Amino acid sequence: MPDEYLAGARVVAAYQSKYEKRSERTPLELVIEAVSEVVLNAGLEPSDVDGLAVASFQLAPDNVVTVAEQLGATLRWAWQGAHGGASGVVSVIQAAEAITLGRARVVVCAAADAFTTSSHNAMVNVFNTGMRDHLAPYGFGGTNGIFAMVEREHRERFGTTREQLGKIAVTQRRYAQRNPNALLRGPLSIEDYLNARVIADPVRLFDCVLPCAGADAVLLVAPDLARELQGASVLVRAGSQRHNHLPAEVLSVTTGAAAYATQLFETAGVSRDELDFVQLYDDYPIMVVVQLEDLGFAEKGDGGRFVDVTSFEPDGDLPLNTGGGQLSCGQAGASGGMIGVYEGVTQLLGQAGSRQLADARLGLVSGFGMVGYAKGLSSATAVFERAA
């Protein structure tokens, strides 16, 4: 049986804007677009929305309540993401709980930002006091510099190779070529990946996400309303989150998912080999490897070898980031934490077009982020199932 606190909600629609390297639209405009479109896709109106969750780094001075004002929606429940790349998954968990408890009936979870490379770098330098006061003054290279240390640590401790990381990036690019919203759709070979210019050794160009503009959203409703809408719907079987895992470790190759993975699958009542896909947060390929380990697909240190022997293709062992992930779609700020939710729901609704997996029934989505002094502080994961 699924988590009783999440079982009273159904996801009935998903929306993703086209990802753009530069946009004239503001984050507020992108959020409004995402909320409006996902509601209309379900056959409802923005005025039907009585719950709203929003994640955005650039939305200030606006917020989730002023978004409701712009939409003309009266809210009984509101939530604003403060968990970086984990915010998308956390928002869905919180929204499902709110609907189950009767706090709302129609909830949109949306995320959007409109970054360029320069505006993203400027934000990172003042992202929090730890980074502002103790890293930025010393030219730390932004998140590229931090995750270069994570990759090097993992490589030196466990023997993870560049070829293994490259397999992830190259596979995801093939998926992105089938996603009309993806920013990077050109061919990418393993040679391209391995020979790309160094950004922050050992991180190279195709290890890095491209800051961009975009928006993603999903719509959750009460089960009786889902039946009235008469379309496909998705159940959140289980969800977990963990923040500031292993606080004594300054640099870590373990995420909070390691603390809850066993309980997550037990609560969901499914095994890992039953999953039809995984959508893993992929700000860098090394973090895909780390999450594969922490979620129990491989023992700690064996993630690279798991990548070697596993097919992530559409008809393979474990389809991975089937929309291209952030590595090929781009990272639209906080929407980087919602892109996997969008793709997972879209697959389970059977609406993924030319990249649709055959008979996708069960999937896992993870989020990771809120980089602190030298590591990501927030992890969240949910298991989704196509409702009968």
Side-chain angles (χ1 to χ4, degrees), residues 70 121 129 140 165 172 201 215 271 321 344 376 384:
Q70 295 285 327
N121 291 344
T129 54
F140 72 120
L165 301 180
Q172 291 187 197
D201 190 36
S271 62
N321 291 345
F384 294 85

Side-chain angles (χ1 to χ4, degrees), residues 321-335:
N321 291 345
T322 54
Q326 298 174 83
L327 289 170
S328 284
C329 286
Q331 185 185 71
S335 227

Side-chain angles (χ1 to χ4, degrees), residues 47 98 114 124 130 195 226 248 275 283 293 298 302 304 321 327 341:
S47 58
V124 167
N195 296 324
L275 295 173
D283 50 351
E293 296 169 346
D302 283 337
N321 291 345
L327 289 170
V341 177

Side-chain angles (χ1 to χ4, degrees), residues 13-374:
Y15 174 78
Q16 182 179 74
S17 73
K18 188 175 182 62
Y19 276 43
E20 300 175 306
K21 190 172 182 179
R22 294 181 181 275
S23 176
E24 297 301 318
R25 293 179 295 172
T26 66
L28 177 61
E29 290 170 331
L30 288 165
V31 170
I32 295 296
E33 173 191 325
V35 175
S36 300
E37 292 295 330
V38 77
V39 170
L40 295 174
N41 286 351
L44 299 172
E45 298 291 336
S47 58
D48 293 320
V49 174
D50 63 352
L52 183 61
V54 174
S56 174
F57 294 118
Q58 298 177 307
L59 191 57
D62 287 299
N63 54 57
V64 62
V65 175
T66 59
V67 170
E69 178 189 29
Q70 295 285 327
L71 290 164
T74 299
L75 304 182
R76 294 194 289 144
W77 180 86
W79 183 92
Q80 189 148 342
H83 315 84
S87 293
V89 176
V90 174
S91 73
V92 172
I93 296 170
Q94 302 295 94
E97 288 182 354
I99 293 174
T100 299
L101 294 172
R103 308 299 186 196
R105 281 178 53 80
V106 180
V107 179
V108 177
C109 298
D113 273 308
F115 279 111
T116 62
T117 299
S118 59
S119 64
H120 177 268
N121 291 344
M123 179 197 71
V124 167
N125 283 340
V126 293
F127 195 49
N128 49 57
T129 54
M131 296 175 76
R132 183 196 65 192
D133 297 345
H134 303 292
L135 295 178
Y138 302 98
F140 72 120
T143 54
N144 295 329
I146 291 173
F147 287 94
M149 293 190 292
V150 173
E151 180 181 331
R152 184 169 295 283
E153 178 77 3
H154 204 278
R155 287 176 61 185
E156 294 188 0
R157 286 177 60 184
F158 306 123
T160 310
T161 69
R162 293 290 299 164
E163 287 78 7
Q164 291 162 347
L165 301 180
K167 179 179 177 180
I168 294 168
V170 170
T171 301
Q172 291 187 197
R173 179 61 61 87
R174 286 196 288 268
Y175 280 117
Q177 291 177 314
R178 302 181 183 184
N179 182 357
N181 296 324
L183 186 56
L184 302 175
R185 302 179 65 198
L188 177 67
S189 68
I190 190 65
E191 291 76 20
D192 294 332
Y193 173 86
L194 294 172
N195 296 324
R197 62 185 174 90
V198 174
I199 302 297
D201 190 36
V203 166
R204 291 175 179 260
L205 180 63
F206 297 114
D207 292 302
C208 307
V209 292
L210 179 61
C212 63
D216 297 85
V218 294
L219 174 66
L220 296 86
V221 301
D224 63 314
L225 181 52
R227 289 190 291 272
E228 289 179 22
L229 296 173
Q230 298 184 337
S233 65
V234 173
L235 172 68
V236 187
R237 288 197 67 93
S240 297
Q241 56 183 301
R242 183 63 63 97
H243 309 281
N244 197 31
H245 183 57
L246 301 176
E249 291 191 2
V250 176
L251 176 68
S252 181
V253 292
T254 301
T255 71
Y260 60 66
T262 298
Q263 183 63 51
L264 176 76
F265 282 98
E266 289 179 357
T267 300
V270 302
S271 62
R272 292 165 182 81
D273 58 10
E274 291 181 89
L275 295 173
D276 296 304
F277 62 77
V278 292
Q279 315 290 345
L280 301 181
Y281 191 85
D282 63 323
D283 50 351
Y284 298 86
I286 190 60
M287 292 314 302
V288 173
V289 173
V290 168
Q291 290 171 94
L292 286 169
E293 296 169 346
D294 293 346
L295 288 165
F297 294 94
E299 296 294 328
K300 179 56 67 179
D302 283 337
R305 287 179 284 276
F306 178 83
V307 169
D308 270 336
V309 301
T310 302
S311 171
F312 300 119
E313 301 293 340
D315 58 352
D317 308 305
L318 188 65
L320 167 71
N321 291 345
T322 54
Q326 298 174 83
L327 289 170
S328 284
C329 286
Q331 185 185 71
S335 227
M338 187 62 81
I339 190 171
V341 177
Y342 162 80
E343 180 64 22
V345 168
T346 299
Q347 287 287 344
L348 294 173
L349 292 175
Q351 298 173 356
S354 63
R355 67 186 186 280
Q356 179 66 51
L357 302 174
D359 195 31
R361 182 188 64 86
L362 194 66
L364 177 146
V365 180
S366 74
F368 172 76
M370 192 45 65
V371 178
Y373 175 68

